[in-house]
Amino acid sequence: MGMADGSKDRIFAEGEKERTKREATDFHAMGLRSKDLSFLQSEKAVEDNVDDVMGDYSEEEDSESESESDQEDVKLAEPSKTAVYNREGLVEKLEDIGWPENVDWMHKLSLDIDQEKEVDVNDDLARELAFYTQALEGTRAAFDKFQSMGLPFLRPPDYYAEMVKTDAHMQKVKGKLLAQKRQIEESEERRKAREAKRIAKEVQAEKLKERAKQKKQEIEEVKKWRKQRQQSGFKDGKDSMPDLGFEDGKTFQRSSKKRPGVSPGDRSGGKAKQGGGKSNNKNKKNREFRNSKFGFGGRKGMKKQNTAETTNDVLAFNKSNAAGNKKRKR
Amino acid sequence: MGKKRKHSETQTAEPRKKDEGAPERPKRTLMGWKDKDEVNQQTESSPDSPQVFRNKEKVMVTCSRRINYRYRHLMLNMVSLLPHCKKDNKVESRSSKGATLNELIELRGCSSALFFECRKHQDLYMWMARCPNGPSVKFLVNAVHTMEELKLTGNHLKGSRPLLTFSSNFEKDAHWKLLKEMIIQIFGTPKEHRKSKPYHDHVFVFSIVDDHIWFRNYQKSVPHNESDKMVRGLDKMTLVEVGPRFCLNPIKIFAGSFGGPTLYENPFYVSPNQIRALEKRKKAGKYAKKVKAKTRRKMHEQSNPLEPDEFADMWRE
């Protein structure tokens, strides 16, 4: 086991040299379990390979790969030992498919943006922000390049051509955005209305209090005046009468605001408008008739009733008529 | 890319008939159209930039049968984003997938392919391959949002050349570099392509987070009530997302097209089948675990009896 530990340290040191920690090669030994003897044998082989230039090799041991995290896209906690990493092959292929060196940047249009800090995958906002800033920086850099080359970059507003999303689709998008905006506005309004109502209620309460206070005050004043008059022996006449404002006799009159009388057959409770003065009289009559028959649910059907007259009308039934009730089975 | 060099072989064999009527067509080689005189002067010209590089990339986009609606829409979105692609019919075969696909690509005369494979109606695997003998990559696709989603409100010209931005992580390792090169060649619209449009009004973002490649597509929007000149103040530029969005998890890189020796295998990759199996297994032992827990509790209680409670009789009448 001593040997194994020593080798592990060495491999760890190697791992630190590489910038990324996640290379399968360096972790081949780290993920090993100490129980299995056969692993120790192959560990030596791994060491040799790791020390040399990364050749083309693949581990043949079959090992269980356990996944321990519970995200939607699960990742192995320990890297699998059977992972192949053929660096030379990769570089070779890269040279194979790569475009020649002197290719203009205009063909590639690719930019490398420095990503300063590690972004947590699960934090959606931070991740999207990172992508956004990457795109923005890329655009700025490209814009500078294009400017230096004197080429047009952004689309002028009057250039009309086929777009990648159809106009119908964009209409839907617009509709949805507007609906959202409307929703927000409505909720704002509702909130404001609630607030206003609360305030109005308070104000009303205040007003009532005021009125009550005023009334009390006035009554007190009258009493005082009466007492005063009593004391001074009713000799003043009417000079010092306080102007109390309720002697014009108006308080005993009812307000002249008329409330319309409601007839029993009127289903609208007297609130139905009778129409403007412009409408024709005949038209109005027609409208009234139709309103009473069909408006607001129609006339209360008092069509069939057992009244005295109808009870005595047994003879109205036609006995000879065979097709009376179709539903009755014969 | 090297296959179309036949012309250079027949070059010397062709007689020079200059007075045939219409001037002969210039030779078509990979490196652009050349007049015959230029061909002769090839060796004389400076070695720096003798030939005009022309990007003749053509991508074939196909999918497997039994593909999901969501992934089909993703594929159609890709087709509309890449003007240099050719959409082909669904591919049926399962066993000899590699051979069939290679043949198809040859037939259509394409140089790369994007193959969307949907397994079990649930998992989408995307293959990116270079046809003749190039490397191919298999990805697992997650977090798919298509362009049809109403929350992605941007829009851009169909066929305009995108600006590709890569995060700096792509330079960190060989396999990322290879992927970057493949992405540039497949997702970048060739310059002066027939169906390409001028102006560059959208940006692709490829970024490596947590060993996955995240893809985003943004439209550059500038408020239009500024000056009429082309060069507008770039400070006010905002990016609106156009979509689609997806996240690629590289599984394997092969040396050949749709097969061949494995160059790279992602050590952290767990197949979705395994994930599902694990979940089921976790749930399977629930009853047994409950029974075990009960017996354990009982044993524990028996072995550590509680002290008699002083206040147990307090409320009893």
Side-chain angles (χ1 to χ4, degrees):
Chain A
M1 271 309 287
M3 185 59 170
D5 287 338
S7 66
K8 274 190 191 174
D9 291 340
R10 194 136 48 105
I11 289 171
F12 252 119
E14 282 250 346
E16 297 301 275
K17 279 189 216 159
E18 314 271 350
R19 283 207 57 206
T20 55
K21 317 183 324 184
R22 300 214 193 257
E23 294 188 325
T25 54
D26 292 325
F27 282 79
H28 275 254
M30 203 178 90
L32 289 177
R33 279 173 259 279
S34 47
K35 299 185 236 170
D36 207 337
L37 270 180
S38 63
F39 281 18
L40 282 178
Q41 307 284 357
S42 49
E43 211 176 42
K44 279 195 181 179
V46 171
E47 278 175 53
D48 295 338
N49 271 351
V50 161
D51 288 347
D52 299 341
V53 172
M54 306 287 183
D56 150 339
Y57 69 97
S58 58
E59 294 273 291
E60 298 296 358
E61 311 145 354
D62 49 345
S63 49
E64 284 302 314
S65 39
E66 296 171 11
S67 56
E68 293 171 14
S69 66
D70 48 1
Q71 307 165 15
E72 188 199 59
D73 180 30
V74 179
K75 206 170 165 167
L76 291 178
E78 306 168 347
S80 146
K81 282 146 285 285
T82 59
V84 174
Y85 203 115
N86 182 355
R87 202 158 277 157
E88 272 188 1
L90 287 169
V91 171
E92 208 183 293
K93 274 296 166 184
L94 183 57
E95 287 171 7
D96 256 352
I97 66 170
W99 286 340
E101 287 296 312
N102 52 2
V103 168
D104 240 356
W105 177 78
M106 278 302 288
H107 286 277
K108 279 203 258 184
L109 280 188
S110 79
L111 289 153
D112 279 334
I113 309 298
D114 199 21
Q115 201 183 49
E116 284 104 22
K117 56 188 179 73
E118 277 292 309
V119 182
D120 179 21
V121 194
N122 296 326
D123 184 3
D124 289 339
L125 207 58
R127 193 184 63 211
E128 296 301 320
L129 195 63
F131 297 151
Y132 188 87
T133 43
Q134 186 180 327
L136 208 55
E137 280 181 33
T139 318
R140 292 231 172 93
F143 184 69
D144 293 333
K145 280 197 183 166
F146 271 85
Q147 273 214 298
S148 64
M149 288 200 269
L151 293 165
F153 185 55
L154 294 166
R155 180 165 52 99
D158 50 358
Y159 185 86
Y160 290 119
E162 187 181 358
M163 309 286 270
V164 93
K165 293 189 191 174
T166 59
D167 280 342
H169 183 87
M170 296 313 284
Q171 286 281 341
K172 266 195 252 178
V173 169
K174 191 162 93 166
K176 183 141 191 264
L177 281 174
L178 286 175
Q180 259 181 359
K181 205 161 64 154
R182 208 181 34 233
Q183 241 181 3
I184 295 176
E185 273 174 20
E186 269 179 14
S187 69
E188 278 281 331
E189 271 183 41
R190 251 180 264 137
R191 198 154 35 99
K192 278 204 201 119
R194 244 203 326 257
E195 290 287 324
K197 199 167 157 187
R198 195 152 55 93
I199 291 178
K201 215 169 181 180
E202 284 174 10
V203 166
Q204 187 74 350
E206 286 246 351
K207 233 195 274 183
L208 281 176
K209 259 195 253 172
E210 273 286 325
R211 251 187 244 155
K213 207 165 61 154
Q214 192 77 1
K215 188 170 168 183
K216 209 163 144 185
Q217 221 178 21
E218 283 178 4
I219 291 178
E220 292 286 314
E221 256 181 49
V222 167
K223 278 195 194 152
K224 223 176 22 171
W225 174 77
R226 231 198 263 155
K227 215 191 261 183
Q228 222 182 24
R229 254 192 98 197
Q230 219 174 28
Q231 281 176 1
S232 60
F234 299 100
K235 61 173 167 89
D236 281 332
K238 301 220 172 150
D239 304 342
S240 63
M241 215 158 53
D243 184 12
L244 292 166
F246 51 69
E247 296 236 300
D248 27 355
K250 275 200 184 157
T251 39
F252 290 107
Q253 282 181 7
R254 283 185 186 239
S255 110
S256 58
K257 289 189 200 162
K258 264 206 181 139
R259 277 206 320 223
V262 183
S263 55
D266 189 7
R267 290 179 78 102
S268 67
K271 304 274 186 204
K273 292 211 168 85
Q274 295 297 318
K278 295 186 232 174
S279 56
N280 213 356
N281 263 354
K282 174 183 162 207
N283 218 358
K284 208 161 93 173
K285 204 173 82 174
N286 200 8
R287 186 85 292 229
E288 275 178 22
F289 169 70
R290 290 173 85 75
N291 263 355
S292 72
K293 192 170 178 200
F294 303 113
F296 294 101
R299 243 182 254 153
K300 287 181 191 168
M302 310 258 266
K303 297 202 177 112
K304 284 190 191 172
Q305 269 189 335
N306 269 342
T307 54
E309 299 98 288
T310 60
T311 330
N312 297 333
D313 248 356
V314 183
L315 304 169
F317 289 143
N318 197 348
K319 283 180 194 157
S320 64
N321 194 358
N325 191 355
K326 285 182 204 159
K327 281 184 188 168
R328 189 161 77 87
K329 286 188 188 156
R330 304 259 170 183
Chain B
M1 251 170 44
K3 274 208 174 159
K4 299 204 178 152
R5 289 202 186 279
K6 314 190 259 195
H7 287 278
S8 53
E9 292 166 347
T10 60
Q11 194 180 307
T12 49
E14 272 189 354
R16 303 269 182 264
K17 294 181 196 155
K18 291 209 176 156
D19 37 276
E20 275 258 318
E24 278 192 59
R25 261 202 229 155
K27 277 200 197 328
R28 181 171 188 220
T29 62
L30 186 61
M31 293 297 165
W33 299 92
K34 289 204 294 269
D35 280 332
K36 281 184 210 40
D37 305 328
E38 275 187 22
V39 167
N40 293 336
Q41 288 168 12
Q42 215 169 2
T43 48
E44 299 169 17
S45 48
S46 57
D48 294 350
S49 55
Q51 306 151 4
V52 174
F53 170 75
R54 277 197 62 176
N55 185 359
K56 290 198 178 170
E57 189 74 28
K58 282 203 248 299
V59 182
M60 188 179 82
V61 178
T62 34
C63 65
S64 67
R65 271 190 66 211
R66 288 179 283 270
I67 192 172
N68 212 1
Y69 65 94
R70 203 174 189 75
Y71 304 139
R72 191 165 34 86
H73 280 144
L74 180 69
M75 186 188 74
L76 292 173
N77 288 343
M78 296 310 296
V79 167
S80 67
L81 282 181
L82 311 175
H84 57 294
C85 80
K86 292 186 184 174
K87 181 175 172 302
D88 211 17
N89 301 327
K90 289 184 187 168
V91 169
E92 164 65 68
S93 69
R94 283 200 49 180
S95 53
S96 62
K97 184 168 62 182
T100 337
L101 278 167
N102 280 327
E103 269 181 40
L104 267 175
I105 301 175
E106 285 278 337
L107 219 62
R108 299 296 303 260
C110 294
S111 59
S112 326
L114 271 179
F115 175 54
F116 291 91
E117 179 182 4
C118 181
R119 290 294 192 96
K120 287 191 173 182
H121 254 323
Q122 286 175 24
D123 320 314
L124 181 68
Y125 297 95
M126 185 170 98
W127 290 81
M128 253 206 286
R130 269 200 88 66
C131 162
N133 44 10
S136 50
V137 200
K138 182 176 181 186
F139 293 108
L140 174 65
V141 185
N142 288 330
V144 171
H145 295 263
T146 59
M147 280 201 299
E148 279 87 8
E149 296 200 356
L150 292 179
K151 298 215 170 170
L152 304 174
T153 53
N155 202 356
H156 64 262
L157 283 175
K158 182 166 183 173
S160 65
R161 296 187 66 207
L163 199 65
L164 306 165
T165 56
F166 294 91
S167 67
S168 49
N169 311 10
F170 273 97
E171 294 300 322
K172 293 218 181 116
D173 218 345
H175 64 279
W176 294 126
K177 283 194 209 155
L178 182 64
L179 284 176
K180 179 177 168 181
E181 188 63 34
M182 289 184 76
I183 288 175
I184 292 179
Q185 294 188 2
I186 289 183
F187 283 85
T189 308
K191 196 164 126 162
E192 288 147 28
H193 184 81
R194 259 196 328 271
K195 292 196 197 150
S196 71
K197 301 237 168 48
Y199 310 119
H200 308 257
D201 57 351
H202 63 294
V203 199
F204 283 173
V205 171
F206 293 94
S207 134
I208 301 182
V209 177
D210 192 30
D211 280 348
H212 293 245
I213 300 182
W214 296 79
F215 171 82
R216 295 282 184 274
N217 178 10
Y218 293 102
Q219 172 206 4
K220 305 173 200 161
S221 84
V222 172
H224 281 316
N225 44 5
E226 300 282 304
S227 65
D228 296 331
K229 286 191 289 196
M230 204 81 76
V231 177
R232 278 181 282 263
L234 218 53
D235 310 326
K236 307 234 184 91
M237 176 162 73
T238 55
L239 297 173
V240 189
E241 180 146 12
V242 176
R245 290 185 172 187
F246 49 86
C247 166
L248 300 171
N249 186 1
I251 304 175
K252 274 192 179 185
I253 302 186
F254 299 101
S257 164
F258 292 106
T262 313
L263 291 176
Y264 168 76
E265 201 177 312
N266 187 352
F268 292 99
Y269 169 68
V270 183
S271 87
N273 288 333
Q274 274 178 328
I275 302 177
R276 286 190 281 259
L278 274 168
E279 301 237 328
K280 273 200 197 157
R281 241 177 271 156
K282 239 193 298 181
K283 286 194 206 157
K286 219 161 57 163
Y287 179 66
K289 277 193 214 144
K290 221 197 300 193
V291 167
K292 260 198 236 167
K294 261 194 187 167
T295 50
R296 217 173 353 151
R297 174 79 189 159
K298 223 177 186 174
M299 302 297 293
H300 180 83
E301 274 182 8
Q302 278 179 4
S303 57
N304 318 359
L306 282 172
E307 297 171 5
D309 195 8
E310 304 170 6
F311 302 109
D313 293 337
M314 208 152 107
W315 303 114
R316 207 173 292 162
E317 290 298 323

